[in-house]
Amino acid sequence: MVTTTLDTATRQPFTSRGPLSDAVLRRLTGTERDRALDALAGSAVAGTADVVRDDDIQLALFTLYASAYGSIPALAADLEWDPALIETRLLLEAGLEHAVRAAVPVPELPPPTGDAVARALFQLTSDDTGPSLSRYLAKRATAEQVREFFVQRSIYTLREADPHSWAIPRLSGRAKAALVEIQADEYGGGRPDRMHAAIFAKAMRAVGLDDTYGAYVDDVPAVTLASHNLMSMLGLNRRLLGAIVGHLAAFEMTSSIPNRFYATGLRRLGHGEDVTDYFDEHVEADAVHEQIAGRDLAGALAEDRPELLPDIMFGAAACLAADAWVGGHMLTAWEHGRSSLRRLPDHG
């Protein structure tokens, strides 16, 4: 059967993982609107043993966020603000936020000055003892594991920077200028081919993968969706402005060195610049971004709005925790000779 462009734009983009994600997908693709979504969402949150690793909850929340981003063409634009879907999102966000706050204590607060906050964030990230996925890729990863790494990363990186961009209209002054400076680089500085998402897409094609956004949603585990959902939740909710700023600061502060290791591992396996370009770009760019994010963004925001300092530090700690959850999942699978994916994608 030949799939037309219309079919591609309107068909269900990925497979549901339970009654809640099925109902959300059906509603957003216009195939069914009758089920009581709030009841399904409430039951799912109340009944799960682990919100972060619950496939049905995380896929439902991912789908709701995809509607806000406009990243999946099949999701109807006129349902973005559907009251039942918004209520469902609020219920799921409450469950996710509660789980993350329970697992990630707010670090000790520094004085609300730019230098003190920057030093505290650099200390927090340098003290991080999470699993080193980058060192594994540099020294041990197989070609198949590298493809899995790209599949896992595609959920965020093909939309790189978008979750943090929600903060731009909520900031002002020095913090706003700093975030725009960082995001301008993320979006290529006016060159579409140098957008970081576009460079990553090029690398995916070079290793034989589909660079269509959402192509591998069916393949990744709930914890990978949860990492992206955490960013989206922090970015989309104005009350969590401090947390998304802290998240970005930690994200940038833990990027440059790992990307150097990723590039080393890719070269070890014989990949050329078409694959390593994305990672080489981040070695230099994020060494600059971490300084801006720490002092001019997070530090300035803490000075201007000291009441946001606890959430700035929480957002940074949550970023490190979510990265550790995903990295730990992947390394545990590989060290036991298993795939880190729910299923192996077709590389043809």
Side-chain angles (χ1 to χ4, degrees):
M1 175 182 175
V2 176
T3 301
T4 66
T5 302
L6 181 61
D7 291 334
T8 301
T10 58
R11 70 168 183 250
Q12 184 165 305
F14 28 78
T15 307
S16 63
R17 303 188 188 183
L20 175 61
S21 55
D22 183 65
V24 169
L25 275 165
R26 288 179 180 275
R27 193 176 190 93
L28 275 168
T29 54
T31 57
E32 182 182 332
R33 299 193 182 191
D34 294 335
R35 276 189 275 183
L37 291 173
D38 56 345
L40 286 171
S43 295
V45 172
T48 187
D50 187 348
V51 168
V52 170
R53 293 168 180 80
D54 188 292
D55 277 299
D56 197 22
I57 289 174
Q58 293 305 327
L59 181 61
L61 191 51
F62 174 84
T63 305
L64 291 164
Y65 288 139
S67 173
Y69 286 112
S71 56
I72 304 293
L75 305 181
D78 62 351
L79 293 174
E80 178 186 356
W81 296 104
D82 177 86
L85 291 169
I86 295 299
E87 177 64 23
T88 300
R89 198 183 92 191
L90 288 170
L91 289 167
L92 299 183
E93 285 179 338
L96 177 59
E97 184 178 355
H98 176 79
V100 175
R101 287 192 182 275
V104 182
V106 176
E108 182 178 351
L109 299 184
T113 67
D115 285 345
V117 169
R119 286 196 302 271
L121 289 169
F122 277 111
Q123 188 65 52
L124 180 68
T125 54
S126 65
D127 288 345
D128 181 39
T129 58
S132 183
L133 185 65
S134 61
R135 293 179 188 275
Y136 183 94
L137 260 76
K139 297 178 180 180
R140 297 175 55 191
T142 65
E144 182 60 33
Q145 288 168 346
V146 163
R147 283 191 290 269
E148 286 190 20
F149 168 75
F150 275 98
V151 167
Q152 298 272 18
R153 285 295 177 98
S154 71
I155 302 302
Y156 164 70
T157 311
L158 289 175
R159 303 290 302 189
E160 184 163 354
D162 288 353
H164 300 107
S165 290
W166 293 111
I168 293 173
R170 283 106 182 239
L171 293 169
S172 60
R174 297 172 298 165
K176 185 169 194 164
L179 180 55
V180 169
E181 182 178 358
I182 293 170
Q183 299 303 79
D185 285 346
E186 300 288 343
Y187 294 126
R191 296 177 55 190
D193 61 311
R194 297 308 296 171
M195 292 175 63
H196 290 179
I199 305 173
F200 187 80
K202 179 182 71 173
M204 288 190 72
R205 295 192 298 272
V207 297
L209 293 170
D210 186 348
D211 67 344
T212 303
Y213 186 75
Y216 297 112
V217 169
D218 278 337
D219 305 303
V220 302
V223 71
T224 301
L225 298 178
S227 177
H228 187 272
N229 288 343
L230 173 65
M231 288 187 240
S232 300
M233 178 181 70
L234 300 182
L236 271 167
N237 285 277
R238 183 163 60 92
R239 64 182 177 81
L240 296 172
L241 175 62
I244 192 63
V245 165
H247 186 287
L248 178 58
F251 199 82
E252 296 293 347
M253 290 175 178
T254 54
S255 175
S256 182
I257 293 174
N259 276 297
R260 186 170 73 240
F261 284 126
Y262 293 139
T264 297
L266 291 166
R267 290 190 174 94
R268 174 179 60 81
L269 291 169
H271 291 293
E273 186 178 352
D274 54 349
V275 177
T276 64
D277 185 19
Y278 171 85
F279 304 94
D280 293 335
E281 169 76 13
H282 282 71
V283 172
E284 181 175 347
D286 290 344
V288 175
H289 288 175
E290 67 180 21
Q291 299 296 327
I292 300 170
R295 291 180 172 83
D296 302 325
L297 175 58
L301 182 61
E303 284 189 354
D304 294 343
R305 298 187 60 184
E307 75 278 8
L308 297 183
L309 180 56
D311 265 359
I312 291 172
M313 299 304 296
F314 164 71
C319 173
L320 299 178
D323 283 353
W325 295 338
V326 177
H329 167 83
M330 294 171 69
L331 288 175
T332 297
W334 292 345
E335 287 168 356
H336 286 82
R338 304 190 306 266
S339 170
S340 68
L341 302 174
R342 298 176 71 238
R343 66 178 194 181
L344 293 176
D346 180 6
H347 303 312

